[in-house]
Amino acid sequence: MSETLDIQRPAKELIAALKDVGAATIAGTLGHMGFRNPHMVGPVSQSRGKTIVGPALTLQFMPQRPDLFSEGEYADPETQLHRHVLYHVQEGDVVVVDARGDMSSGVFGDMMSTYFKGRGGAGIVIDGCMRDRPNVEKLDLSLWLRGWTPNYHVQTSIYPNAVNVPIACGGVTVIPGDIIVADDDGVVVLPVAMAARVIEESQSHHEWEEFSRSKLMAGGSLQRYYPLHDDARAEYEEWRERARTPQGL
């Protein structure tokens, strides 16, 4: 069993509340809070239409150096730390891998992905590649990657160095336990301490956007309805009250 540290997982209520909030809304909300770029550049959806929300388990790769790393994949499998991050997977977790943007090393393949699926993981995010695409796709996993390669994880120039440490993935700092939200727009990193505030502001934003969308679809003024102008605030409040009042009361 892995001796690496496990993560502190956020409250299930936070995860549940974020499931209906898209990556774009979270990124925009964080942007207004000073988090200028919570979006990972590089990993893109390999499974269109899927959305994940869950805490991050992290895996860090480094450039190979012969005095620090010996392959030993089958001679001593436990030296391969990409296995160890999977040992920690609980239902709903997201494995996030800093593979240094390497396009020639398949971090996980068929068997590791099968194990991840069996553990109930929510999804995998890699600033790099996976391998065994035909078999992995049969597992119907939620994946955000740079691409695919036939090479195994240490075949070329990188090796797994640490599990559940702070990493940089797609240009974004990821702390173990951070909330990962990913959909067709991409992957964003939400610090747990910001989650409640993001949820509150996102819900408010969603409400007025619904109102504005209906007005724009009816030919309303862009200047008046997006973003919502102060002159339209009373109209919006009236619409919101009607929407929240059960019919007939």
Side-chain angles (χ1 to χ4, degrees), residues 41 63 88 90 143 161 163 166 177 186 210 223:
V41 177
H88 290 283
Q90 297 182 16
L143 304 173
N161 178 68
V163 171
E210 283 298 306
Q223 292 92 331

Side-chain angles (χ1 to χ4, degrees), residues 141-236:
L141 295 173
S142 298
L143 304 173
W144 284 258
L145 319 168
R146 280 186 180 263
W148 300 83
T149 177
N151 296 339
Y152 61 88
H153 73 299
V154 294
Q155 187 169 336
T156 56
S157 59
I158 59 175
Y159 76 101
N161 178 68
V163 171
N164 286 341
V165 298
I167 62 172
C169 188
V172 181
T173 297
V174 184
I175 306 299
D178 277 347
I179 299 172
I180 304 299
V181 180
D183 55 26
D184 286 342
D185 275 338
V187 184
V188 296
V189 180
L190 173 59
V192 175
M194 305 300 298
R197 184 177 167 194
V198 165
I199 290 166
E200 181 181 356
E201 296 203 13
S202 296
Q203 288 173 343
S204 173
H205 186 87
H206 175 75
E207 281 192 334
W208 72 254
E209 273 202 345
E210 283 298 306
F211 166 75
S212 294
R213 183 177 292 108
S214 67
K215 291 298 182 179
L216 295 176
M217 183 61 73
S221 167
L222 186 63
Q223 292 92 331
R224 179 177 176 82
Y225 294 114
Y226 191 79
L228 188 65
H229 194 276
D230 286 345
D231 289 348
R233 179 65 59 177
E235 188 181 355
Y236 160 64

Side-chain angles (χ1 to χ4, degrees), residues 6-7 9 54-57 88-95 116 120-123:
D6 199 8
I7 64 171
R9 291 171 175 81
L57 297 165
H88 290 283
V89 172
Q90 297 182 16
E91 185 175 358
D93 286 349
V94 180
V95 170
F116 176 82

Side-chain angles (χ1 to χ4, degrees):
M1 184 66 177
S2 168
E3 295 179 355
T4 54
L5 294 175
D6 199 8
I7 64 171
Q8 182 174 350
R9 291 171 175 81
K12 294 184 183 298
E13 293 79 9
L14 286 179
I15 299 297
L18 288 163
K19 288 189 180 295
D20 293 328
V21 184
T25 298
I26 292 174
T29 303
L30 283 172
H32 292 304
M33 296 177 180
F35 291 76
R36 290 301 178 194
N37 187 23
H39 167 239
M40 294 183 189
V41 177
V44 296
S45 176
Q46 306 294 310
S47 36
R48 289 185 62 82
K50 290 186 177 295
T51 299
I52 59 170
V53 180
L57 297 165
T58 65
L59 174 63
Q60 178 200 62
F61 275 75
M62 295 288 281
Q64 285 194 26
R65 234 177 73 171
D67 61 327
L68 298 178
F69 170 76
S70 175
E71 182 176 323
E73 183 171 17
Y74 296 114
D76 183 3
E78 293 310 306
T79 65
Q80 303 299 316
L81 285 179
H82 73 316
R83 303 168 62 92
H84 288 234
V85 71
L86 299 181
Y87 296 159
H88 290 283
V89 172
Q90 297 182 16
E91 185 175 358
D93 286 349
V94 180
V95 170
V96 183
V97 184
D98 171 15
R100 305 183 61 81
D102 189 281
M103 298 299 292
S104 62
S105 295
V107 171
F108 301 120
D110 178 13
M111 302 305 287
M112 298 294 184
S113 299
T114 300
Y115 179 73
F116 176 82
K117 174 89 171 186
R119 298 279 291 183
I124 297 173
V125 178
I126 304 176
D127 190 7
C129 298
M130 286 181 61
R131 66 192 296 250
D132 298 330
R133 183 173 188 174
N135 288 337
V136 170
E137 286 187 338
K138 292 175 185 177
L139 296 171
D140 193 31
L141 295 173
S142 298
L143 304 173
W144 284 258
L145 319 168
R146 280 186 180 263
W148 300 83
T149 177
N151 296 339
Y152 61 88
H153 73 299
V154 294
Q155 187 169 336
T156 56
S157 59
I158 59 175
Y159 76 101
N161 178 68
V163 171
N164 286 341
V165 298
I167 62 172
C169 188
V172 181
T173 297
V174 184
I175 306 299
D178 277 347
I179 299 172
I180 304 299
V181 180
D183 55 26
D184 286 342
D185 275 338
V187 184
V188 296
V189 180
L190 173 59
V192 175
M194 305 300 298
R197 184 177 167 194
V198 165
I199 290 166
E200 181 181 356
E201 296 203 13
S202 296
Q203 288 173 343
S204 173
H205 186 87
H206 175 75
E207 281 192 334
W208 72 254
E209 273 202 345
E210 283 298 306
F211 166 75
S212 294
R213 183 177 292 108
S214 67
K215 291 298 182 179
L216 295 176
M217 183 61 73
S221 167
L222 186 63
Q223 292 92 331
R224 179 177 176 82
Y225 294 114
Y226 191 79
L228 188 65
H229 194 276
D230 286 345
D231 289 348
R233 179 65 59 177
E235 188 181 355
Y236 160 64
E237 295 294 346
E238 183 181 345
W239 171 90
R240 186 173 65 167
E241 187 64 27
R242 288 200 307 270
R244 290 181 173 182
T245 302
Q247 289 187 357
L249 296 181

